[in-house]
Amino acid sequence: MCVARNILLFTLILDYADGSKDPSIWNIYYHLFLDNESLELLHIQTQKLQSFSASMQSWHSSEHGRLLRMCDQGTLLRVRRIWNSYGSSNWSGDDKTSYKKRFESGIQQARDMQAIRFGHGKIVTGLRSAAPISMPSMADLPDLFQRFWEHGVTDDDRGSLSKSRFPNPMFAGSLEDAFTLHYGTDPLLGFHLATAYASLTSGSPLKSSGNSHLHKVVAAARLQFREWSTSFRKHAQKNLTIRFFTGDALAFCHTLQHMHMPGDRSQSNWYRDQYHLDPLILDGEDYASKGNAPLLFNVIDTSNLLDHVGAINILVAASPLLEKSISATLYTEALVKKQEDLKALVDSVLCGHFPTLSILFGLMPIEYWTNSTATSNADEHLFDKVISTMSDRDGNTGQMHNRLTWKRLAAESTAVPVIRFDGPELAHVMHQFYLKMFQNEDMKQLFSKIDLQTIQNSSVLHYHRGSLASFLCFVKKRVVVDWNETMNVFLSLIENDSILLMGKNYLQELYLQLHLLDLYTVATFRPAFNRVSRFQALKGLGAWKDIPAVICINLKVPRAKLWAITEVPLKELGTPILHCILQSSSEYRGGQWQNIFAVVQLAFGEITTSGSRCNDDFRVNVSEDMHSWKGRSSLIVSFLVPSWVVLLEPQTATVAFGVQSTPHSTKTFMNRLGFDMNIYKTTLGDEDNVYMTKHRPNLSGHTSVCNFENSSRVATKHTHEEVAITVKAKVDLKTGQITALVGRLDILSEDIKSSLSNGAIVETVQISPCTIGIAIGKSGLKFHLLFPIPVLGSQSKTRIARKSSYIEVVAPMADPRDGDGFSHFMYPMFPSKGGPVIWNMPRLNLDCLPIFDTSKKKELEWLNTHVSLMFSARERHLREKSMKSGAANHMDARVNLKDSLFSLFMHFSGLQGQQARVFGISDPGHSGVHILVFVSCLRLDLANHTVVLDAAILPLHSSLMPKTLPFLEKITELGICNIITDSDELRLWKEILPAWVERCRQWEHRSSCTYLSKSKIPLSVEFGQNPICSCGEGTLPSSYKFDLPGWDLAVKYAVRAAISPSFSVPFVEQSFGGTEESEPVARYETGCRVCGKSKSDDGGKGLSKCARCQGVRYCSVECQRADWKEHKKVCNK
């Protein structure tokens, strides 16, 4: 339905380009009830779209066909069917009355669900949309939500309410369609509502006129809708294409993977979704052999699919579709609260040790390693707290929003070698992953902590053994390892496991999936096993010539047997997980056995067959019932099984269809179905209801998984003419976690071999978080070891094999949660021919962002709190500790930078100190001011829930000083607001400046750009050197007007920048916490606990940890002794 709604919206916006119909278009898309004018417009547009969509050819040749493309015929048919239902509201008489009653009943069902989910208190889901000014919205948004559900419209004047009396077909469909309205539907949630509460200048973008009859929040949303519509019309005329697909997102991704492979692209043997039997075939012309539809992407945003299908399934399906590019990005998002805090959520999202699994996926979660983001999470934290309080009261677990940015494993180069593993070590990684993936089967863990959160987590399952096999298929192509050895150890660990009680019941499905994906074949799946003479004597299935190792059982479940599901009230039903069971009969003499199969395909319909049973050509054809659960047809369940298991009892073995046991399903179904919770069961010999075929219905083979040849895989050795470089993982067998990475330099050059064997000095130095340089001999010949993630060069060990001519550096993995972060690794940038790439700072179109009126101080008081929330709990502790002592050495460079940014925002806004527009970033110990900042205005960064200073930057370097000396002398006389730094903080300013400039760039880099020629960003952080390229100098907008003598001279060298607060990442370290929690917070200090030093007194290695608790660090024995009196109170707690 969403695809049909969206296409209709786009075409309405384009067809009425003058904006005259924007109010009616708003009504059509957002209101539950329509006025006559809006309803008539909907009917006219629907008829038009139906005339265009008679076929793929007619649609693509229509006036909207160039812009709005259908991926396949199946999508067009489904969309057209929904458009047809929009015309169903033209009924009269009894049909019209029934239609309206059904519509109102659907709304009431949704409201009943609201009461279950939210209780009877206020619904505050709109708070998130009002960030960063959420607090004032608490008085309005809950009431606006209730008003919408009472009247079905966003208008509040009586005239509009009285006219809006017709059910909106965009929500209701036809009389025959199921009407399901989400209980959280709110037209305002998709807009940035902070503009309704911000004090904006008269000419600011997105400033409402204030003379509307609408509530200010609704007026703000409608204004943004109009602006968005105008922008869409503008960009639709350019080279823009939007492609549509209806079906399962994972199936679509795997089909794209399949199509990227050479050879037959026609069928990937995926179904469109889990509840139909039509194969997913992208038969649109764009996906033909000469089609222009992309198969790889620079950005993939998966929204919050993670909540519904699991992160592992998403990354396996979507990450291979990323382009081989330093800028390629994949986003995942979670909204459902599954853990106590964000740290625990991230620890659980990949079913194992987060850094270890990230390496196996070949992805870098960039915010995890930088602990820096320009997106505020402060209001999200407030929202989570409010929701959690309400949820605890009403018996629900609430929400917890988290968004992860995944980049390819290539911190400084796309040529990071593929990681090597020892087979047994990788097997233990995979086994720990297996235990986490199916921890719902760990009864001991489940019963050790029975609370609402645990029950819900154990009732909503995303993974089966097919998911595990798909992950292993992915890993196999990402690593260098003896795969057979790995699988032998891995399967041995599973077969002997006693933690997952049901694990052995799923073994045959795991073996089956491993066999199908060519990962590993156990003896029972080999051809010789299926030709055992005792099977050949059997009749029926035993006589199947060359029976495949895997066959499909198609089970017909009579409609009458589905009462256990259809009679359960929706509020109790949830989403039961269905499976099939194959087990021995009670008469079987070979011992009782049971195998469970969770990979099932469902569809309603009637079966016809072709060919003879027990032959390769036997086919099952299903005429699907489109009425699904509301129809009368049987349910057809298809699943794959090992043929050798079926041959044990080909007539008398029991086959059952039932509900998987979870805490929720047990509560709902056990009384209805009994202990086994089987909905239907019969024997394999029941030919009226059991059909065995070579493949699943309508498919010609087995599902294609990870057949995409990953373009990010490079040579196992990164080879220069003189050396070959490999990287290998070291794994802790007990935890299954990577603890260190071993970079190996094999010497190929005879000259270097000779030098090494003759005792040449070998030195290592950490060049960047992911790079360690190795210098050999007096000439300082240097090679770079590139690691996939940050490592601790200060704690590395070097092995030199002078006779065997290799050097190994064993580097422990950094742990940003344990103070192992790199203070200057905040917003990494990389040169690229297409322009510099920023990894974790979002781009901004400054001219479109609202401008605050800074003369209204009272209405800006919230800004003080907002900007102060840059500091994590640890950083606030350091800052307060420093302020009390009057010494700056308790603060690291990041804390100092954030302190300076806080001053910058406070002084410009006038909330603290003297208001100023011109600032000098000054290091008094090194020649004073090094950077001038001219702030034009303070803007509202809506998408990132924060604020941004629209500023001009003038770095003062040695070549510029003589040119601008007259200007500098004059502004010095006038006086500027100096932000005092030290040399370490000043370096950090220079590290970040290029990102602030690049994120708002509207000019082109020259082909001779020094970023490219020097292959370095920033260009330099040294005193007197310019950190940024000169391409953008003098490109300030005309609105930049400063009443400063000599400004016309300075403007030639200044460049625009978007300066945001820099927030810590809540899943790396705690964002909130008072000073009374200083002792626990101190466990995450990055410097010496006593004096704040970042290095030890002996010259340079890392700090020492307390041997007892490993939680605090010291630079010397003296500092540790001085602190023991206080620290011993909490040590090892």
Side-chain angles (χ1 to χ4, degrees):
M1 179 177 281
C2 291
V3 170
R5 278 170 47 84
N6 289 339
I7 295 176
L8 189 139
L9 171 68
F10 294 150
T11 59
L12 278 171
I13 291 172
L14 295 174
D15 287 349
Y16 297 93
D18 60 356
S20 61
K21 297 294 185 181
D22 281 358
S24 292
I25 296 173
W26 168 279
N27 296 344
I28 290 169
Y29 196 71
Y30 290 113
H31 286 182
L32 298 179
F33 292 94
L34 298 179
D35 59 275
N36 189 63
E37 180 183 350
S38 299
L39 183 61
E40 184 63 26
L41 178 61
L42 173 58
H43 286 155
I44 292 172
Q45 194 69 14
T46 298
Q47 291 170 7
K48 182 178 180 179
L49 295 181
Q50 285 179 305
S51 68
F52 290 162
S53 58
S55 66
M56 288 280 280
Q57 183 179 1
S58 64
W59 175 262
H60 286 155
S61 61
S62 71
E63 62 189 73
H64 299 303
R66 180 198 63 80
L67 171 67
L68 309 174
R69 309 287 289 180
M70 302 291 183
C71 289
D72 68 310
Q73 182 74 24
T75 294
L76 180 65
L77 292 174
R78 284 162 174 76
V79 168
R80 180 179 168 84
R81 177 175 175 270
I82 292 173
W83 285 337
N84 183 59
S85 73
Y86 293 166
S88 300
S89 59
N90 275 328
W91 291 307
S92 60
D94 292 342
D95 284 342
K96 185 174 183 179
T97 302
S98 298
Y99 185 77
K100 189 170 183 179
K101 285 184 178 179
R102 173 181 164 279
F103 188 77
E104 291 172 344
S105 174
I107 293 176
Q108 187 56 50
Q109 287 179 13
R111 300 201 73 176
D112 293 342
M113 186 59 70
Q114 286 176 12
I116 294 171
R117 293 287 183 176
F118 300 119
H120 297 284
K122 290 190 173 184
I123 298 174
V124 295
T125 49
L127 287 181
R128 181 178 287 122
S129 299
I133 318 178
S134 296
M135 291 301 293
S137 71
M138 292 185 69
D140 297 322
L141 297 183
D143 293 338
L144 289 172
F145 180 86
Q146 292 297 342
R147 186 182 303 171
F148 171 75
W149 278 90
E150 288 172 7
H151 303 290
V153 298
T154 56
D155 301 308
D156 54 7
D157 64 293
R158 291 185 178 179
S160 298
L161 291 176
S162 63
K163 293 178 182 178
S164 302
R165 62 184 188 275
F166 302 103
N168 187 346
M170 291 269 277
F171 291 95
S174 68
L175 270 174
E176 297 177 347
D177 291 329
F179 174 43
T180 304
L181 184 64
H182 193 276
Y183 58 85
T185 299
D186 186 345
L188 303 178
L189 291 185
F191 296 93
H192 301 293
L193 305 182
T195 56
Y197 300 96
S199 176
L200 305 178
T201 61
S202 58
S204 168
L206 300 182
K207 179 178 174 62
S208 299
S209 60
N211 55 7
S212 170
H213 67 278
L214 298 170
H215 190 284
K216 64 180 181 180
V217 174
V218 178
R222 289 202 175 201
L223 173 59
Q224 291 174 36
F225 178 77
R226 291 196 301 272
E227 293 294 326
W228 183 88
S229 298
T230 301
S231 179
F232 178 72
R233 293 178 184 116
K234 177 182 176 181
H235 287 87
Q237 298 173 7
K238 301 179 181 179
N239 189 27
L240 174 66
T241 302
I242 305 174
R243 291 185 169 84
F244 297 92
F245 168 75
T246 59
D248 181 77
L250 300 180
F252 182 70
C253 288
H254 282 293
T255 299
L256 291 180
Q257 287 190 40
H258 174 79
M259 295 190 72
H260 195 270
M261 291 291 292
D264 181 18
R265 293 157 46 112
S266 60
Q267 189 166 348
S268 61
N269 290 305
W270 279 85
Y271 289 115
R272 179 176 296 276
D273 57 49
Q274 190 182 351
Y275 304 100
H276 296 90
L277 294 175
D278 50 327
L280 174 48
I281 301 174
L282 299 180
D283 52 10
E285 60 186 86
D286 295 355
Y287 292 95
S289 57
K290 296 183 179 179
N292 59 1
L295 299 177
L296 300 179
F297 304 88
N298 190 252
V299 177
I300 300 175
D301 193 328
T302 65
S303 186
N304 71 319
L305 271 178
L306 183 151
D307 289 330
H308 304 285
V309 301
I312 302 301
N313 290 331
I314 289 176
L315 296 182
V316 168
S319 65
L321 301 177
L322 284 174
E323 291 179 347
K324 184 182 178 183
S325 164
I326 196 72
S327 62
T329 308
L330 187 147
Y331 295 102
T332 58
E333 199 165 347
L335 189 61
V336 176
K337 184 175 181 180
K338 296 182 179 179
Q339 301 293 336
E340 287 300 314
D341 55 42
L342 286 172
K343 285 186 179 181
L345 177 66
V346 168
D347 285 340
S348 66
V349 73
L350 293 186
C351 302
H353 185 232
F354 192 64
T356 297
L357 273 299
S358 298
I359 290 175
L360 291 181
F361 273 111
L363 298 171
M364 175 181 275
I366 184 62
E367 289 98 348
Y368 178 85
W369 294 107
T370 62
N371 191 19
S372 298
T373 176
T375 300
S376 170
N377 54 67
D379 290 83
E380 192 62 49
H381 181 83
L382 169 66
F383 176 77
D384 288 343
K385 288 295 184 184
V386 173
I387 289 292
S388 296
T389 300
M390 296 174 60
S391 300
D392 291 342
R393 182 187 65 211
D394 299 318
N396 293 303
T397 55
Q399 294 185 350
M400 180 181 288
H401 181 263
N402 185 47
R403 185 173 170 88
L404 287 170
T405 304
W406 303 87
K407 297 284 186 176
R408 283 204 176 280
L409 270 191
E412 286 115 312
S413 168
T414 55
V416 175
V418 176
I419 308 300
R420 293 170 172 263
F421 282 86
D422 284 333
E425 292 190 355
L426 181 58
H428 279 79
V429 173
M430 288 156 40
H431 183 241
Q432 290 298 319
F433 173 83
Y434 162 81
L435 294 177
K436 288 288 186 181
M437 177 175 262
F438 302 112
Q439 62 183 342
N440 61 290
E441 299 171 22
D442 183 352
M443 296 298 104
K444 181 179 179 181
Q445 178 177 308
L446 176 62
F447 290 115
S448 67
K449 183 184 178 183
I450 301 181
D451 57 19
L452 183 61
Q453 187 71 72
T454 303
I455 290 172
Q456 291 201 0
N457 289 349
S458 299
S459 298
V460 181
L461 309 180
H462 301 311
Y463 305 120
H464 46 55
R465 268 56 183 183
S467 308
L468 174 61
S470 296
F471 169 74
L472 297 180
C473 187
F474 186 95
V475 170
K476 183 181 179 181
K477 299 185 178 184
R478 285 289 321 160
V479 301
V480 176
V481 72
D482 184 330
W483 188 254
N484 281 336
E485 179 188 25
T486 301
M487 292 303 297
N488 282 328
V489 176
F490 174 58
L491 292 178
S492 176
L493 290 169
I494 289 178
E495 290 161 357
N496 293 290
D497 173 61
S498 59
I499 296 175
L500 306 186
L501 296 182
M502 298 298 293
K504 289 182 172 56
N505 297 75
Y506 290 101
L507 268 180
Q508 292 305 319
E509 182 167 54
L510 176 59
Y511 293 153
L512 179 152
Q513 296 294 333
L514 295 177
H515 171 74
L516 292 181
L517 297 182
D518 197 26
L519 292 168
Y520 192 83
T521 298
V522 298
T524 51
F525 285 79
R526 293 168 190 160
F529 186 87
N530 284 322
R531 289 196 295 268
V532 176
S533 58
R534 64 191 180 96
F535 292 152
Q536 296 299 319
L538 296 172
K539 297 180 180 180
L541 191 67
W544 191 333
K545 185 178 181 181
D546 296 326
I547 185 171
V550 175
I551 60 174
C552 176
I553 293 180
N554 302 281
L555 178 66
K556 184 171 74 173
V557 181
R559 170 72 64 163
K561 296 294 184 179
L562 299 178
W563 64 269
I565 293 178
T566 57
E567 294 182 7
V568 177
L570 283 176
K571 61 183 181 181
E572 299 177 20
L573 182 61
T575 307
I577 301 167
L578 306 173
H579 65 197
C580 288
I581 297 174
L582 197 59
Q583 65 184 33
S584 59
S585 65
S586 57
E587 295 82 15
Y588 184 64
R589 298 179 180 180
Q592 297 298 296
W593 51 268
Q594 183 191 69
N595 294 298
I596 305 175
F597 300 89
V599 185
V600 298
Q601 187 71 24
L602 311 175
F604 286 94
E606 299 300 329
I607 286 181
T608 59
T609 63
S610 60
S612 302
R613 287 180 183 263
C614 304
N615 277 289
D616 285 359
D617 63 354
F618 183 60
R619 297 285 186 272
V620 164
N621 306 299
V622 179
S623 176
E624 289 199 46
D625 183 351
M626 298 307 295
H627 296 297
S628 189
W629 288 98
K630 292 185 176 295
R632 298 181 178 181
S633 301
S634 299
L635 177 66
I636 312 303
V637 185
S638 299
F639 62 104
L640 299 176
V641 297
S643 56
W644 80 268
V645 174
V646 177
L647 287 168
L648 292 175
E649 284 189 278
Q651 293 292 317
T652 56
T654 298
V655 57
F657 169 67
V659 180
Q660 184 172 334
S661 176
T662 68
H664 182 271
S665 66
T666 299
K667 176 184 176 183
T668 305
F669 293 102
M670 186 170 286
N671 287 337
R672 292 177 170 88
L673 296 173
F675 181 78
D676 291 333
M677 292 199 294
N678 287 330
I679 294 172
Y680 174 69
K681 66 179 180 179
T682 185
T683 62
L684 288 178
D686 179 3
E687 294 191 353
D688 291 333
N689 295 296
V690 179
Y691 305 81
M692 285 178 270
T693 56
K694 182 176 182 180
H695 297 300
R696 290 178 294 170
N698 300 333
L699 300 184
S700 59
H702 295 299
T703 300
S704 170
V705 175
C706 288
N707 280 326
F708 179 86
E709 189 172 344
N710 198 325
S711 60
S712 68
R713 183 184 176 102
V714 298
T716 59
K717 293 184 178 181
H718 185 51
T719 306
H720 302 266
E721 293 181 358
E722 299 168 316
V723 299
I725 298 172
T726 56
V727 177
K728 186 177 182 179
K730 288 188 65 177
V731 175
D732 183 330
L733 294 182
K734 290 183 179 179
T735 63
Q737 299 177 5
I738 297 176
T739 58
L741 295 169
V742 182
R744 175 166 171 148
L745 199 73
D746 284 291
I747 311 299
L748 305 180
S749 165
E750 294 300 327
D751 291 340
I752 302 177
K753 283 183 179 181
S754 176
S755 176
L756 191 67
S757 64
N758 289 328
I761 297 174
V762 175
E763 296 180 328
T764 62
V765 60
Q766 183 139 19
I767 297 172
S768 71
C770 301
T771 306
I772 291 180
I774 298 179
I776 303 174
K778 295 180 179 179
S779 63
L781 189 62
K782 187 176 289 185
F783 302 98
H784 290 179
L785 292 177
L786 302 177
F787 295 95
I789 59 171
V791 294
L792 298 176
S794 61
Q795 299 179 25
S796 65
K797 297 179 180 179
T798 304
R799 302 169 181 162
I800 305 171
R802 299 186 182 274
K803 291 184 179 180
S804 301
S805 302
Y806 70 84
I807 301 168
E808 285 186 344
V809 176
V810 183
M813 285 178 24
D815 185 350
R817 296 181 176 179
D818 196 25
D820 290 339
F822 295 83
S823 62
H824 292 81
F825 189 55
M826 293 183 69
Y827 300 104
M829 286 182 66
F830 306 94
S832 167
K833 291 182 179 179
V837 175
I838 318 173
W839 261 20
N840 60 323
M841 186 180 285
R843 291 187 176 272
L844 298 176
N845 185 343
L846 287 176
D847 295 330
C848 294
L849 301 184
I851 303 172
F852 286 102
D853 184 348
T854 54
S855 67
K856 299 180 179 179
K857 303 290 187 295
K858 187 70 176 175
E859 297 181 29
L860 272 177
E861 289 181 350
W862 60 270
L863 184 64
N864 191 329
T865 301
H866 176 78
V867 179
S868 69
L869 290 174
M870 282 189 293
F871 300 94
S872 67
R874 173 188 64 83
E875 290 169 334
R876 276 197 300 280
H877 171 71
L878 286 175
R879 185 171 183 262
E880 291 162 5
K881 192 174 179 181
S882 172
M883 293 172 71
K884 288 177 181 178
S885 67
N889 63 357
H890 287 296
M891 295 162 63
D892 62 19
R894 285 198 189 192
V895 180
N896 284 326
L897 173 77
K898 293 183 179 184
D899 211 27
S900 296
L901 287 173
F902 181 81
S903 298
L904 200 64
F905 279 92
M906 291 301 100
H907 280 290
F908 177 76
S909 63
L911 291 175
Q912 291 186 23
Q914 184 176 356
Q915 194 162 15
R917 293 186 67 194
V918 183
F919 300 85
I921 310 303
S922 174
D923 179 3
H926 295 87
S927 306
V929 176
H930 290 257
I931 304 167
L932 286 173
V933 181
F934 305 89
V935 182
S936 172
C937 60
L938 176 68
R939 294 182 182 266
L940 180 56
D941 182 358
L942 295 164
N944 298 298
H945 301 168
T946 185
V947 294
V948 60
L949 292 173
D950 189 346
I953 298 292
L954 187 65
L956 302 180
H957 48 91
S958 55
S959 60
L960 178 65
M961 294 288 283
K963 302 175 185 177
T964 57
L965 189 58
F967 170 73
L968 298 176
E969 290 174 345
K970 290 177 182 177
I971 65 167
T972 302
E973 293 172 3
L974 291 173
I976 60 175
C977 181
N978 278 331
I979 307 293
I980 305 302
T981 70
D982 58 23
S983 57
D984 204 23
E985 183 194 345
L986 181 62
R987 177 193 168 192
L988 193 47
W989 273 88
K990 291 186 175 184
E991 292 272 5
I992 300 176
L993 272 183
W996 282 334
V997 170
E998 185 64 25
R999 70 185 306 211
C1000 62
R1001 172 175 63 87
Q1002 292 184 328
W1003 39 268
E1004 296 295 326
H1005 282 276
R1006 294 188 291 267
S1007 58
S1008 59
C1009 177
T1010 44
Y1011 287 159
L1012 280 176
S1013 60
K1014 291 191 175 183
S1015 191
K1016 185 179 181 183
I1017 307 177
L1019 297 175
S1020 175
V1021 295
E1022 301 301 322
F1023 297 115
Q1025 301 297 312
N1026 192 0
I1028 60 179
C1029 72
S1030 60
C1031 299
E1033 290 181 352
T1035 59
L1036 298 179
S1038 57
S1039 60
Y1040 271 60
K1041 296 178 181 178
F1042 288 86
D1043 188 17
L1044 297 171
W1047 173 247
D1048 290 342
L1049 173 62
V1051 77
K1052 297 178 182 179
Y1053 304 101
V1055 63
R1056 195 179 193 182
I1059 302 176
S1060 294
S1062 182
F1063 299 93
S1064 59
V1065 176
F1067 55 80
V1068 175
E1069 60 178 344
Q1070 183 183 350
S1071 297
F1072 297 88
T1075 54
E1076 70 276 8
E1077 299 174 331
S1078 58
E1079 184 59 39
V1081 172
R1083 292 173 64 89
Y1084 299 96
E1085 292 184 10
T1086 56
C1088 173
R1089 175 180 166 82
V1090 177
C1091 68
K1093 290 180 180 178
S1094 59
K1095 294 182 179 180
S1096 60
D1097 278 348
D1098 61 8
K1101 292 288 185 180
L1103 301 174
S1104 299
K1105 294 181 181 180
C1106 170
R1108 187 178 179 189
C1109 71
Q1110 298 289 309
V1112 296
R1113 296 162 181 256
Y1114 301 98
C1115 69
S1116 64
V1117 174
E1118 289 73 21
C1119 279
Q1120 185 173 13
R1121 287 173 178 168
D1123 186 51
W1124 177 241
K1125 183 177 179 180
E1126 291 299 319
H1127 178 56
K1128 69 180 180 180
K1129 298 175 183 177
V1130 295
C1131 186
N1132 228 15
K1133 285 188 177 180

